[in-house]
Amino acid sequence: MSRRSLAGFAILLLLACALPFMVSEYRSFQFTLVLVYAIALLGLNILTGYNGQISLGHGAFYAIGAYCAAILMDKYGVPYWATIPVAGAVCLAAGFLFGLPALRLEGLYLALATFALGVSLPQLLKYHHLEEWTGGVQGITIQKPDAPAFFAEFGLALDQDQWLYLFTLAVAVVMFVLGWNLLRGRIGRAMVAIRDNHVAAEAMGVNNALIKSLAFGVSAMYTGIAGALGAIAVQFVAPDSFNFFLSITLLVGIVIGGLASIPGALYGALFIQFVPNIADEISKAAPWAIFGLFLIGFVYLMPAGVAGAVRMAVARLGRKRQNT
Amino acid sequence: MIEATASGALLRVLNVGVRFGGIVALDDVSFDVPSGSIVGLIGPNGAGKTTLFNCLSRLYQCGSGDIVFDGSSLLSVPRHRVAVIGIGRTFQNLALFRTMTVLENIMVGRHCRTHSGFFVNALRLPAVAREEHATHDSARALLRLLDLESLAGTRVAELPLGTQKRVELARALASEPKLLLLDEPASGLNHEEVGALGKLICDIRERLALTVLLVEHHMSLVMSISDRVVALNFGRKIAEGTPAEVQQHPELLQAYLGSTG
Ligand SMILES: Nc1ncnc2c1ncn2[C@@H]1O[C@H](COP(=O)(O)OP(=O)(O)OP(=O)(O)O)[C@@H](O)[C@H]1O
Ligand SMILES: [Mg+2]
């Protein structure tokens, strides 16, 4: 990475750290959700954008991650931060196992199989034999964590929303760095190779079955970690918060943000967090119609997603600078 | 003569048969590819040349017969291991990774010679960074060898056909094959380019100690660079020998005159 882009990232990170001290508590909460979605979208992008496997059911992995966190905190008194790796591990396994039979499916057939997963999971969560853990239709309410005491000792009094934002930011940064490493190296190239031409990929020695199912696992892990963070932020999980609409929203996020783009996950997260709110403010009567207009507008103006448009703008700026 | 080549054969195709429903694509085909040689595989359209390549890549299952590579049967080797054991190939209808750059395509060619997995890649451990550097360097060396240096960062989809074919060749070479399978590398090239390609194939054979199996319709190219030629028609082997011998073969002349005019 060039020195200039490294400096750019450092500034961006500083701004991100400063954000909760400059906006209201509610906004901090909203930006926490942006980070949560960004992690989930990066996960889905690894699978769909980079590896070419379409998922219409990633809401299910988000739900599994959320319930992991909620059950561990509520029933077993596990501290909130310790639920994150557990949710990640559970979803990694779940995604890998789902990815194995999915190897036989391609394109729309895979979309249908993941759709089945997405619509069936909320119902499983209501299943009365599991009620003891899941809380059935009622769901589970969890406590919002306080900032660790040592911040106060250093004279930095963080409220809960500020702290949760910073905690989520730290997790997001780690997940993005890991994702970037994975995608820029040998494994990332193999994933894209499978997407572009799976016959040639295999002829180059890529073990398609292994890479595809592991990509499924890693993707689910990201989304599950996001689910756990989301549950902690919202302080509540219930089956109906993870309906099929969530899966579609995630897919909208990666397409709008930019397929096969790491920053695209962040752009997509901003879109799915704020555009519905904006639409709601414009028209209380028909917010989804307004949302639809936004969606069409974005797709029309930025066919390669926001990330594609940004890339083009940067390239144009660079050329201009060279010319003058 | 036959005994001598058999013992030094890198590849042995033994009575291979392949059917697609009612079509017999390969019928009891046998021949050897001696180590270090260039063997031309010719025949009219639909003769079964690509089918044979696909058997060697394990894309197609042989209905009968056996294929022995480097002393052991290929038929128990899974598809993704074919490159590791030393068989590299190009495709008749280009199979590049279209969204990637020239350099990235060639780097994927190194996949079978590198080992780092998901976990260490995500952490980008020092060993991964070293491996990545080595991959990068050998891909660069191939770019130089095939005169593609100035195009390293260009997306392959933007390149003309002839250049894309060179990229595919570079990608195949990146896997350090013992046996290189070339499926119509000269198609779509102009007269000069075909001449240059012939030189290039001979050159890389020398330099990289390769054995080459070459499918080609360009007779002048095949006959000028091949040590031996095998001719197929309707899935059967109709002639085999040195270029001079095969050119005289009556059945071959008839096959070409009869089917392609
Ligand atoms: N996957 C397949 N399914 C059905 N038939 C096939 C398949 N692959 C090849 N064939 C048939 O097998 C026969 C041999 O085809 P092949 O592609 O091997 O010919 P070829 O010698 O490579 O011809 P060309 O010079 O045109 O490339 C043809 O009749 C073809 O239609
Ligand atoms: Mg062919």
Side-chain angles (χ1 to χ4, degrees):
Chain A
M1 204 173 11
S2 73
R3 194 164 292 177
R4 182 184 301 192
S5 49
L6 210 60
F9 279 118
I11 292 169
L12 210 66
L13 194 59
L14 270 178
L15 282 179
C17 288
L19 188 78
F21 305 102
M22 305 189 297
V23 298
S24 68
E25 264 177 39
Y26 182 64
R27 282 263 182 262
S28 292
F29 166 73
Q30 285 184 318
F31 278 109
T32 305
L33 287 184
V34 169
L35 294 171
V36 166
Y37 286 138
I39 298 171
L41 292 182
L42 179 56
L44 183 57
N45 224 341
I46 287 173
L47 185 72
T48 304
Y50 286 90
N51 198 211
Q53 304 190 71
I54 297 176
S55 172
L56 291 180
H58 254 47
F61 297 115
Y62 190 94
I64 294 173
Y67 268 87
C68 272
I71 292 170
L72 286 173
M73 287 169 74
D74 184 54
K75 303 281 184 254
Y76 300 98
V78 175
Y80 67 97
W81 50 266
T83 66
I84 308 296
V86 178
V90 168
C91 287
L92 177 69
F96 181 75
L97 292 177
F98 189 84
L100 287 178
L103 286 173
R104 297 171 174 278
L105 305 170
E106 254 173 53
L108 290 173
Y109 296 94
L110 179 60
L112 286 192
T114 49
F115 173 72
L117 178 72
V119 287
S120 56
L121 196 89
Q123 252 159 22
L124 285 178
L125 292 171
K126 291 181 196 166
Y127 186 53
H128 62 271
H129 288 296
L130 294 175
E131 230 164 70
E132 200 181 317
W133 288 289
T134 61
V137 191
Q138 306 295 318
I140 305 170
T141 307
I142 45 186
Q143 293 290 317
K144 201 168 243 186
D146 286 318
F150 62 82
F151 280 107
E153 280 162 28
F154 282 107
L156 188 67
L158 294 172
D159 66 39
Q160 288 175 327
D161 287 301
Q162 287 171 332
W163 165 243
L164 200 60
Y165 170 88
L166 291 173
F167 176 73
T168 308
L169 179 64
V171 176
V173 168
V174 170
M175 296 312 288
F176 269 70
V177 170
L178 293 178
W180 176 57
N181 280 340
L182 183 68
L183 293 169
R184 71 189 165 128
R186 172 177 186 262
I187 299 294
R189 278 193 303 272
M191 292 202 291
V192 176
I194 293 171
R195 180 197 71 193
D196 280 3
N197 192 319
H198 65 98
V199 173
E202 210 152 36
M204 297 305 125
V206 176
N207 186 343
N208 287 7
L210 185 71
I211 300 266
K212 281 172 84 172
S213 40
L214 279 173
F216 222 114
V218 168
S219 168
M221 179 187 81
Y222 270 78
T223 307
I225 286 175
L229 287 165
I232 297 166
V234 178
Q235 295 169 268
F236 177 63
V237 294
D240 292 326
S241 355
F242 309 116
N243 57 17
F244 177 60
F245 198 76
L246 175 62
S247 299
I248 296 295
T249 303
L250 294 177
L251 203 67
V252 167
I254 60 165
V255 175
I256 293 289
L259 285 167
S261 156
I262 294 176
L266 191 59
Y267 306 141
L270 287 165
F271 184 93
I272 60 180
Q273 172 60 29
F274 289 116
V275 170
N277 290 354
I278 296 170
D280 201 49
E281 270 163 35
I282 294 173
S283 161
K284 285 267 181 288
W288 291 112
I290 304 291
F291 181 79
L293 283 179
F294 267 103
L295 204 56
I296 292 169
F298 266 76
V299 171
Y300 183 73
L301 293 173
M302 306 181 204
V306 179
V310 169
R311 219 177 297 132
M312 224 145 75
V314 169
R316 204 168 293 163
L317 262 178
R319 262 202 306 270
K320 225 175 236 167
R321 198 171 290 163
Q322 263 175 6
N323 291 345
T324 51
Chain B
M1 176 79 188
I2 289 172
E3 253 83 90
T5 53
S7 59
L10 179 63
L11 177 75
R12 307 199 67 188
V13 175
L14 302 168
N15 309 99
V16 167
V18 175
R19 299 170 147 273
F20 298 105
I23 300 171
V24 182
L26 287 176
D27 181 11
D28 202 26
V29 172
S30 301
F31 64 91
D32 285 351
V33 178
S35 201
S37 65
I38 296 179
V39 172
L41 185 60
I42 60 171
N45 292 116
K49 307 178 296 290
T50 300
T51 301
L52 183 73
F53 269 27
N54 287 341
C55 289
L56 293 170
S57 302
R58 304 279 298 126
L59 287 172
Y60 292 170
Q61 213 63 41
C62 298
S64 58
D66 195 3
I67 300 173
V68 178
F69 176 74
D70 214 5
S72 46
S73 174
L74 200 62
L75 301 189
S76 55
V77 176
R79 256 178 231 173
H80 67 270
R81 300 269 315 158
V82 170
V84 181
I85 63 171
I87 301 179
R89 76 172 286 183
T90 65
F91 294 82
Q92 182 172 355
N93 305 309
L94 288 174
L96 287 168
F97 308 118
R98 293 181 58 78
T99 64
M100 293 190 195
T101 64
V102 170
L103 183 69
E104 285 166 341
N105 264 276
I106 299 172
M107 286 173 85
V108 176
R110 295 286 308 157
H111 189 90
C112 67
R113 297 288 165 233
T114 46
H115 306 282
S116 62
F118 270 77
F119 191 65
V120 292
N121 261 277
L123 296 177
R124 191 85 178 181
L125 295 181
V128 174
R130 270 200 302 278
E131 188 185 82
E132 197 68 7
H133 265 119
T135 302
H136 208 268
D137 289 347
S138 54
R140 286 269 170 197
L142 281 167
L143 286 176
R144 272 194 298 279
L145 181 68
L146 291 178
D147 203 16
L148 291 163
E149 268 174 304
S150 58
L151 300 172
T154 313
R155 281 189 183 218
V156 290
E158 293 161 19
L159 297 171
L161 183 76
T163 316
Q164 291 196 19
K165 294 210 138 183
R166 274 217 309 285
V167 177
E168 243 204 359
L169 179 58
R171 185 181 70 178
L173 292 175
S175 68
E176 294 172 19
K178 294 177 193 161
L179 175 66
L180 179 62
L181 310 174
L182 299 174
D183 200 346
E184 304 200 16
S187 74
L189 303 190
N190 64 33
H191 187 73
E192 270 164 55
E193 287 172 326
V194 173
L197 178 70
K199 277 209 198 72
L200 180 66
I201 294 172
C202 292
D203 185 44
I204 55 178
R205 190 249 312 237
E206 295 294 309
R207 255 200 238 206
L208 307 174
L210 286 175
T211 305
V212 179
L213 184 57
L214 170 69
V215 166
E216 203 28 89
H217 283 296
H218 260 272
M219 280 309 146
S220 59
L221 176 66
V222 183
M223 295 304 173
S224 65
I225 68 170
S226 300
D227 301 305
R228 292 182 70 74
V229 174
V230 175
L232 298 178
N233 193 22
F234 292 118
R236 281 188 316 105
K237 183 174 86 176
I238 53 170
E240 180 180 6
T242 63
E245 285 165 8
V246 170
Q247 267 168 317
Q248 304 302 321
H249 209 284
E251 217 179 323
L252 181 75
L253 293 174
Q254 201 193 347
Y256 271 93
L257 292 176
S259 65
T260 58

PDB file of all heavy atoms in Angstrom, chain A residues 235-249:
ATOM      1  N   GLN A 235     -30.063  -4.595  21.750  1.00  0.00           N
ATOM      2  CA  GLN A 235     -30.445  -5.135  23.064  1.00  0.00           C
ATOM      3  C   GLN A 235     -31.630  -6.075  22.994  1.00  0.00           C
ATOM      4  O   GLN A 235     -32.362  -6.242  23.962  1.00  0.00           O
ATOM      5  CB  GLN A 235     -30.816  -4.001  24.040  1.00  0.00           C
ATOM      6  CG  GLN A 235     -29.667  -3.093  24.381  1.00  0.00           C
ATOM      7  CD  GLN A 235     -30.186  -1.875  25.110  1.00  0.00           C
ATOM      8  OE1 GLN A 235     -30.480  -0.875  24.490  1.00  0.00           O
ATOM      9  NE2 GLN A 235     -30.300  -1.982  26.410  1.00  0.00           N
ATOM     10  N   PHE A 236     -31.853  -6.647  21.861  1.00  0.00           N
ATOM     11  CA  PHE A 236     -33.047  -7.469  21.729  1.00  0.00           C
ATOM     12  C   PHE A 236     -32.935  -8.355  20.505  1.00  0.00           C
ATOM     13  O   PHE A 236     -32.465  -7.906  19.460  1.00  0.00           O
ATOM     14  CB  PHE A 236     -34.262  -6.532  21.584  1.00  0.00           C
ATOM     15  CG  PHE A 236     -35.562  -7.247  21.374  1.00  0.00           C
ATOM     16  CD1 PHE A 236     -36.069  -8.105  22.356  1.00  0.00           C
ATOM     17  CD2 PHE A 236     -36.281  -7.075  20.204  1.00  0.00           C
ATOM     18  CE1 PHE A 236     -37.266  -8.761  22.154  1.00  0.00           C
ATOM     19  CE2 PHE A 236     -37.488  -7.721  20.009  1.00  0.00           C
ATOM     20  CZ  PHE A 236     -37.973  -8.558  20.989  1.00  0.00           C
ATOM     21  N   VAL A 237     -33.324  -9.618  20.660  1.00  0.00           N
ATOM     22  CA  VAL A 237     -33.463 -10.461  19.470  1.00  0.00           C
ATOM     23  C   VAL A 237     -34.842 -11.110  19.481  1.00  0.00           C
ATOM     24  O   VAL A 237     -35.354 -11.464  20.534  1.00  0.00           O
ATOM     25  CB  VAL A 237     -32.399 -11.588  19.403  1.00  0.00           C
ATOM     26  CG1 VAL A 237     -31.005 -11.028  19.237  1.00  0.00           C
ATOM     27  CG2 VAL A 237     -32.481 -12.511  20.606  1.00  0.00           C
ATOM     28  N   ALA A 238     -35.449 -11.215  18.316  1.00  0.00           N
ATOM     29  CA  ALA A 238     -36.717 -11.934  18.171  1.00  0.00           C
ATOM     30  C   ALA A 238     -36.747 -12.487  16.754  1.00  0.00           C
ATOM     31  O   ALA A 238     -36.146 -11.894  15.854  1.00  0.00           O
ATOM     32  CB  ALA A 238     -37.896 -10.996  18.407  1.00  0.00           C
ATOM     33  N   PRO A 239     -37.430 -13.616  16.558  1.00  0.00           N
ATOM     34  CA  PRO A 239     -37.403 -14.264  15.237  1.00  0.00           C
ATOM     35  C   PRO A 239     -37.752 -13.313  14.107  1.00  0.00           C
ATOM     36  O   PRO A 239     -37.148 -13.346  13.041  1.00  0.00           O
ATOM     37  CB  PRO A 239     -38.451 -15.363  15.365  1.00  0.00           C
ATOM     38  CG  PRO A 239     -38.526 -15.649  16.819  1.00  0.00           C
ATOM     39  CD  PRO A 239     -38.233 -14.371  17.526  1.00  0.00           C
ATOM     40  N   ASP A 240     -38.732 -12.425  14.369  1.00  0.00           N
ATOM     41  CA  ASP A 240     -39.217 -11.626  13.252  1.00  0.00           C
ATOM     42  C   ASP A 240     -38.297 -10.467  12.885  1.00  0.00           C
ATOM     43  O   ASP A 240     -38.498  -9.815  11.863  1.00  0.00           O
ATOM     44  CB  ASP A 240     -40.634 -11.132  13.544  1.00  0.00           C
ATOM     45  CG  ASP A 240     -41.602 -12.308  13.549  1.00  0.00           C
ATOM     46  OD1 ASP A 240     -41.369 -13.244  12.757  1.00  0.00           O
ATOM     47  OD2 ASP A 240     -42.547 -12.311  14.363  1.00  0.00           O
ATOM     48  N   SER A 241     -37.259 -10.220  13.717  1.00  0.00           N
ATOM     49  CA  SER A 241     -36.296  -9.187  13.271  1.00  0.00           C
ATOM     50  C   SER A 241     -35.396  -9.733  12.173  1.00  0.00           C
ATOM     51  O   SER A 241     -34.661  -8.992  11.543  1.00  0.00           O
ATOM     52  CB  SER A 241     -35.423  -8.685  14.416  1.00  0.00           C
ATOM     53  OG  SER A 241     -35.790  -9.230  15.638  1.00  0.00           O
ATOM     54  N   PHE A 242     -35.406 -11.056  11.985  1.00  0.00           N
ATOM     55  CA  PHE A 242     -34.475 -11.647  11.021  1.00  0.00           C
ATOM     56  C   PHE A 242     -35.214 -12.330   9.883  1.00  0.00           C
ATOM     57  O   PHE A 242     -34.883 -13.431   9.473  1.00  0.00           O
ATOM     58  CB  PHE A 242     -33.554 -12.643  11.730  1.00  0.00           C
ATOM     59  CG  PHE A 242     -32.912 -12.061  12.949  1.00  0.00           C
ATOM     60  CD1 PHE A 242     -33.186 -12.562  14.208  1.00  0.00           C
ATOM     61  CD2 PHE A 242     -32.050 -10.986  12.826  1.00  0.00           C
ATOM     62  CE1 PHE A 242     -32.593 -12.004  15.331  1.00  0.00           C
ATOM     63  CE2 PHE A 242     -31.453 -10.433  13.950  1.00  0.00           C
ATOM     64  CZ  PHE A 242     -31.729 -10.940  15.196  1.00  0.00           C
ATOM     65  N   ASN A 243     -36.261 -11.678   9.436  1.00  0.00           N
ATOM     66  CA  ASN A 243     -37.041 -12.310   8.372  1.00  0.00           C
ATOM     67  C   ASN A 243     -36.302 -12.187   7.034  1.00  0.00           C
ATOM     68  O   ASN A 243     -35.192 -11.654   6.956  1.00  0.00           O
ATOM     69  CB  ASN A 243     -38.433 -11.684   8.282  1.00  0.00           C
ATOM     70  CG  ASN A 243     -38.354 -10.188   8.065  1.00  0.00           C
ATOM     71  OD1 ASN A 243     -37.301  -9.680   7.669  1.00  0.00           O
ATOM     72  ND2 ASN A 243     -39.430  -9.489   8.328  1.00  0.00           N
ATOM     73  N   PHE A 244     -36.964 -12.655   6.015  1.00  0.00           N
ATOM     74  CA  PHE A 244     -36.351 -12.708   4.701  1.00  0.00           C
ATOM     75  C   PHE A 244     -35.937 -11.328   4.186  1.00  0.00           C
ATOM     76  O   PHE A 244     -34.993 -11.185   3.415  1.00  0.00           O
ATOM     77  CB  PHE A 244     -37.352 -13.365   3.744  1.00  0.00           C
ATOM     78  CG  PHE A 244     -36.878 -13.405   2.352  1.00  0.00           C
ATOM     79  CD1 PHE A 244     -35.711 -14.077   2.027  1.00  0.00           C
ATOM     80  CD2 PHE A 244     -37.569 -12.758   1.346  1.00  0.00           C
ATOM     81  CE1 PHE A 244     -35.250 -14.106   0.731  1.00  0.00           C
ATOM     82  CE2 PHE A 244     -37.110 -12.788   0.052  1.00  0.00           C
ATOM     83  CZ  PHE A 244     -35.953 -13.456  -0.254  1.00  0.00           C
ATOM     84  N   PHE A 245     -36.651 -10.317   4.693  1.00  0.00           N
ATOM     85  CA  PHE A 245     -36.353  -8.962   4.251  1.00  0.00           C
ATOM     86  C   PHE A 245     -34.912  -8.564   4.576  1.00  0.00           C
ATOM     87  O   PHE A 245     -34.258  -7.866   3.803  1.00  0.00           O
ATOM     88  CB  PHE A 245     -37.325  -7.992   4.933  1.00  0.00           C
ATOM     89  CG  PHE A 245     -37.397  -6.665   4.252  1.00  0.00           C
ATOM     90  CD1 PHE A 245     -38.094  -6.531   3.058  1.00  0.00           C
ATOM     91  CD2 PHE A 245     -36.762  -5.557   4.787  1.00  0.00           C
ATOM     92  CE1 PHE A 245     -38.151  -5.310   2.417  1.00  0.00           C
ATOM     93  CE2 PHE A 245     -36.817  -4.334   4.139  1.00  0.00           C
ATOM     94  CZ  PHE A 245     -37.516  -4.212   2.960  1.00  0.00           C
ATOM     95  N   LEU A 246     -34.410  -9.053   5.679  1.00  0.00           N
ATOM     96  CA  LEU A 246     -33.027  -8.757   6.064  1.00  0.00           C
ATOM     97  C   LEU A 246     -32.047  -9.309   5.030  1.00  0.00           C
ATOM     98  O   LEU A 246     -31.101  -8.630   4.619  1.00  0.00           O
ATOM     99  CB  LEU A 246     -32.734  -9.349   7.448  1.00  0.00           C
ATOM    100  CG  LEU A 246     -31.289  -9.236   7.935  1.00  0.00           C
ATOM    101  CD1 LEU A 246     -30.855  -7.793   8.071  1.00  0.00           C
ATOM    102  CD2 LEU A 246     -31.116  -9.971   9.267  1.00  0.00           C
ATOM    103  N   SER A 247     -32.297 -10.545   4.582  1.00  0.00           N
ATOM    104  CA  SER A 247     -31.415 -11.158   3.581  1.00  0.00           C
ATOM    105  C   SER A 247     -31.363 -10.333   2.302  1.00  0.00           C
ATOM    106  O   SER A 247     -30.300 -10.116   1.721  1.00  0.00           O
ATOM    107  CB  SER A 247     -31.900 -12.569   3.237  1.00  0.00           C
ATOM    108  OG  SER A 247     -31.883 -13.383   4.375  1.00  0.00           O
ATOM    109  N   ILE A 248     -32.541  -9.864   1.893  1.00  0.00           N
ATOM    110  CA  ILE A 248     -32.603  -9.064   0.667  1.00  0.00           C
ATOM    111  C   ILE A 248     -31.908  -7.721   0.878  1.00  0.00           C
ATOM    112  O   ILE A 248     -31.198  -7.228   0.004  1.00  0.00           O
ATOM    113  CB  ILE A 248     -34.076  -8.837   0.238  1.00  0.00           C
ATOM    114  CG1 ILE A 248     -34.717 -10.170  -0.119  1.00  0.00           C
ATOM    115  CG2 ILE A 248     -34.163  -7.877  -0.939  1.00  0.00           C
ATOM    116  CD1 ILE A 248     -34.113 -10.846  -1.314  1.00  0.00           C
ATOM    117  N   THR A 249     -32.120  -7.148   2.073  1.00  0.00           N
ATOM    118  CA  THR A 249     -31.466  -5.877   2.376  1.00  0.00           C
ATOM    119  C   THR A 249     -29.953  -6.012   2.265  1.00  0.00           C
ATOM    120  O   THR A 249     -29.275  -5.134   1.729  1.00  0.00           O
ATOM    121  CB  THR A 249     -31.850  -5.422   3.796  1.00  0.00           C
ATOM    122  OG1 THR A 249     -33.264  -5.332   3.862  1.00  0.00           O
ATOM    123  CG2 THR A 249     -31.237  -4.077   4.118  1.00  0.00           C
TER     124      THR A 249
END
